[in-house]
Amino acid sequence: MRTTKKNLTMPVRGAALLAAVVVGAAGCSSQEKFEVTDLCGRKVDSALVAPFLPEGETLKVDDDISAPEQPRCKVSVDDELHLYVRGNIDKPGFDLLKASERSMRRLGNPAPADGIGDGATIADHGAMAVQACTYKGEKSQYILDIDGVDLPKDTAERRGALEELLRAHLPVIMEAEGCRP
């Protein structure tokens, strides 16, 4: 009889242990959806950044890599890069889009995007825009470059999200840097 009782309690104890592990595991997976409202020290609509970020446990927005006239920031979730944004003020008369054609090809299928600055290119994993401006009284151009993008998984959706971010963020970051169109 003692053997029967032991045989009956083992499955019950095992089921209780399994339930505790499942409940505990569900409690440990505190995945969060993150909101980024600041890119490279500039305000940004968090809805424009959200498509590029997965759920995770930790968000890091690193803008310590910025320098005067060169705002830079990396957005990482769980130590994995998901968005790298770079801005530059440069001398005019240099066709940056043509010069960067090779690097844009590495980002996958670059294509022109209409109505963004003086010219823009959207690729599968990044984007770039150029806008003529006046900086400290001199003719200049502003370059906004975004890469490191693998989300959303759907390429057409990702390209659309890149275009929206580029279109909205170019005038904001230019103004903040004092580069007037």
Side-chain angles (χ1 to χ4, degrees):
M1 190 92 150
R2 186 172 215 167
T3 309
T4 308
K5 185 177 181 186
K6 187 175 181 181
N7 288 342
L8 290 175
T9 58
M10 287 304 285
V12 171
R13 274 193 250 170
L17 181 59
L18 180 60
V21 169
V22 169
V23 169
C28 288
S29 65
S30 59
Q31 299 286 303
E32 294 183 41
K33 189 67 177 166
F34 298 109
E35 226 179 66
V36 174
T37 58
D38 186 89
L39 272 180
C40 306
R42 311 300 176 242
K43 294 292 179 206
V44 66
D45 181 351
S46 63
L48 295 172
V49 180
F52 308 113
L53 304 178
E55 290 183 354
E57 293 183 22
T58 59
L59 170 72
K60 182 177 181 185
V61 180
D62 181 8
D63 62 358
D64 292 340
I65 51 180
S66 289
E69 302 174 7
Q70 297 179 337
R72 306 226 179 315
C73 56
K74 293 180 178 182
V75 181
S76 303
V77 174
D78 298 338
D79 295 322
E80 187 176 323
L81 179 67
H82 287 279
L83 192 63
Y84 185 20
V85 179
R86 293 178 299 279
N88 282 310
I89 297 171
D90 205 349
K91 300 293 178 206
F94 174 71
D95 188 348
L96 185 75
L97 292 176
K98 186 169 179 83
S100 66
E101 186 177 323
R102 184 174 177 203
S103 65
M104 289 301 290
R105 274 197 311 265
R106 78 174 168 74
L107 296 175
N109 305 308
D114 294 330
I116 303 174
D118 293 328
T121 301
I122 307 292
D124 292 346
H125 299 280
M128 179 183 286
V130 178
Q131 171 72 52
C133 62
T134 302
Y135 180 70
K136 294 183 178 179
E138 293 183 26
K139 290 184 178 189
S140 301
Q141 63 182 355
Y142 196 88
I143 302 113
L144 179 58
D145 188 17
I146 302 170
D147 66 18
V149 179
D150 289 322
L151 295 175
K153 290 293 183 195
D154 179 75
T155 304
E157 189 179 337
R158 184 178 335 115
R159 291 174 72 97
L162 277 164
E163 186 172 341
E164 285 182 41
L165 177 59
L166 197 64
R167 185 180 309 281
H169 203 55
L170 179 63
V172 170
I173 201 165
M174 282 179 59
E175 183 178 334
E177 288 298 313
C179 204
R180 310 280 181 241

